[in-house]
Amino acid sequence: MELLLAVTTGILTAVAVYLMLSKNLLRYLWGLVLLSNAVNFVIFLGGRLTPGAPPLIDEGEYAPVGEVANALPQALVLTAIVISFGLMAFALALIYRTYMTIGTVTSTEMRIAEPRPRKSESDE
Amino acid sequence: MSWLLVYPIVIPLLTAVLTYILRHNPAGRWISVAGTLALLLTSVMLLASVIREGVIAAQMSDWNAPFGITLVADYLSAVMVVITAITGLATVVYCLGEIPERLERSGFFALLQVLLMGVCGAFVTGDLFNLYVWFEVMLISSFGLLVMGGSREQLDGGVKYVTLNLVSTIMFLSGVGILYGITGTLNMADLHAAVREVENTGLLTTVAVMFLVAFGVKAALFPLFFWLPASYHTPPVAVSAIFAGLLTKVGVYALIRVFTLIFDQDVGYTHTLMLWMAVATMVMGVLGAAAMNDFRRILSFHIVSQIGYMILGLALFTPLGLLGAVFYLVHHIIVKANLFFIAGVAKRIGGSTDLSKLGGLYANAPVLAFLFLIPAFSLAGFPPLSGFWAKFLIVKAALDAQMWIVAGVALAVGLLTVFSMTKIWGAAFWPDHPEGTKPRLSDIPVFERLAMMLPVGALALLTCVIGLFPEPFVTFAETAAGQLLDPTDYISTVLGVQP
């Protein structure tokens, strides 16, 4: 199971990096989405995959009885999913707005904030 | 438990909620000012309490460390919270004069408070995953502030800022995941001991470099800085100022914290790497600034260059180096925010930040010209201003470590900084305005003039005070550096405090 998840993480990362190398911002964003999911796997694997009971504590006890699953990575992954969902939604809206305003999502054509320096007289 | 640690997070949150509800009401902006004043007040109380009692910590939700989330303040955290409040207050007051009602109605002041909450949270947290969450709070509000208004330049710069910062975030998160996998804890004080028991030190160094890259993007280190000069000159000036003052410094703070408390087992590799990154950062930043022809873009590149000095102090990893880094951090936030404010006033009366379209500021607005010289000279490191002591400490630390080349580069970069500052002076202040207009401060209505000039004057005064009476500040930074290099107090306080 660990091996399967590790390989999946690797494939996700590879696909994500391929997409992020694109000039198209939308492809870049899909790459980011995949990459953030790959990271969720990393955290999940970091907590070790243990087949066990749900980490619930019986009434009157102070610790769970027997072997239970590690709840912390799941909590971390849940937080990370929520946060990355919000960020990706924002980034998608931003790219859409940029497309409507500037008219392009090709990163090499976006030179408005940093225009190429004006040619001096001697160059012309 | 100490409530003082919670106030820097709760006060901006409450203020944000109130100002958002009242965003259509003129009272909203005044609540924002009042809230930031309260933040300043409580953060000074926090600092006083840290000076009196040493490191203080509080366990959230009744969970003992290292299982719950700990808030903790040592000298460095406390002074960073105070300086955040000072910069926040200066920015909010400046906004009263700059921000149009259109932005106010879409919740500008509320976002500004959320940003302050994120920054303060990052400074007081003692948990690595919690640090990630505060980074996200800070990031999402900065995204909003950066593109609010939606001009073409802003969207263009915003896209680069957002996309590259998201990569750094993902890098940070995967570092956290792997570190948890090899140590089983995320409490920073607990990690200090836990990393010493890890047998696979190669993996640990890999994780350390992941953190270096993640925080290096936030702090705008070479070669990861290019998002900063692409975006910082596009939003309203007040936003540029608070970003320039605080955001990259959170990255620097995180680097200092993580590379003194957790990753100090392979100093020969990580800190040497950092040293050369710092040197390249200084040089690239100042050369970039020399090539620019816009007030704010020159300043943006100077942020990058100055970050190099701070990281240099950390990379030297000597008591004097860290002392210099802490001192530099405080000095730089004040000076940089102030320079951006001045650029804003110059834009307001001169009509542009493009140096070729500015002029006549010395003849017509001598007060502004005088106030520009203080932070500009301080940035370049002239005595007796704060920048002189900051640079002196760093260069002295480099010389003590017998890093002659590094010290030489640091001094040469200082000289080139003077060049950029004289370039601004020689284009915007000295000659007549190209269109023949006379940019006077009295062109701005009285209230707005007061709101814009008050922060500039106050921060300039602070720069002079630090410069003329450096003794208490240096002593303070010395204690802060001592706590960083020997975190025994930090660890025993965090792990020993009962909820």
Side-chain angles (χ1 to χ4, degrees), chain B residues 215-446:
Chain B
F215 295 145
V217 174
K218 308 270 179 203
L221 271 183
F222 177 86
L224 310 160
F225 66 85
F226 40 86
W227 55 271
L228 190 150
S231 57
Y232 269 28
H233 59 287
T234 57
V237 177
V239 175
S240 289
I242 196 161
F243 280 18
L246 292 177
L247 291 197
T248 45
K249 303 328 165 283
V250 181
V252 175
Y253 166 84
L255 278 172
I256 292 180
R257 179 66 75 206
V258 166
F259 279 91
T260 53
L261 191 59
I262 303 172
F263 300 115
D264 61 346
Q265 77 292 340
D266 193 3
V267 175
Y269 183 77
T270 50
H271 288 63
T272 312
L273 181 64
M274 224 186 306
L275 182 78
W276 294 110
M277 280 170 86
V279 171
T281 310
M282 288 193 288
V283 176
M284 290 298 157
V286 87
L287 289 183
M292 289 297 131
N293 244 324
D294 181 286
F295 207 143
R296 276 204 278 177
R297 291 181 75 183
I298 291 178
L299 295 181
S300 300
F301 269 105
H302 273 299
I303 302 174
V304 177
S305 159
Q306 307 285 314
I307 295 288
Y309 284 95
M310 296 166 215
I311 301 303
L312 179 59
L314 168 64
L316 289 170
F317 211 56
T318 58
L320 191 62
L322 275 167
L323 192 175
V326 173
F327 190 93
Y328 213 109
L329 206 53
V330 172
H331 136 78
H332 179 76
I333 292 176
I334 296 169
V335 165
K336 198 43 130 196
N338 201 4
L339 280 171
F340 269 94
F341 287 145
I342 292 167
V345 179
K347 183 186 176 195
R348 177 72 182 265
I349 58 178
S352 176
T353 55
D354 190 339
L355 287 183
S356 61
K357 292 178 189 156
L358 270 176
L361 291 174
Y362 176 67
N364 301 302
V367 179
L368 185 70
F370 175 69
L371 285 173
F372 169 75
L373 284 182
I374 294 174
F377 281 167
S378 180
L379 190 76
F382 282 25
L385 296 161
S386 60
F388 168 72
W389 302 106
K391 280 209 170 60
F392 172 75
L393 290 165
I394 297 278
V395 173
K396 176 89 167 51
L399 289 175
D400 284 356
Q402 306 198 323
M403 306 253 180
W404 314 117
I405 301 175
V406 173
V409 169
L411 288 172
V413 168
L415 202 63
L416 282 168
T417 310
V418 183
F419 167 72
S420 303
M421 291 301 129
T422 46
K423 190 168 151 183
I424 294 178
W425 179 263
F429 290 89
W430 210 237
D432 288 336
H433 198 281
E435 284 164 23
T437 51
K438 294 198 185 307
R440 285 181 219 281
L441 280 179
S442 52
D443 294 347
I444 315 176
V446 177

Side-chain angles (χ1 to χ4, degrees), chain A residues 77-101:
Chain A
V77 169
L78 204 60
T79 315
I81 289 175
V82 173
I83 290 178
S84 69
F85 178 74
L87 288 178
M88 294 306 157
F90 179 87
L92 188 60
L94 178 68
I95 289 174
Y96 177 72
R97 179 79 188 273
T98 309
Y99 179 64
M100 297 309 276
T101 313

Side-chain angles (χ1 to χ4, degrees), chain A residues 44 48-58 63-74:
Chain A
F44 193 53
R48 306 292 187 277
L49 301 178
T50 45
L56 299 174
I57 300 168
D58 294 330
V65 186
E67 192 175 316
V68 293
N70 186 352
L72 186 70
Q74 302 186 20

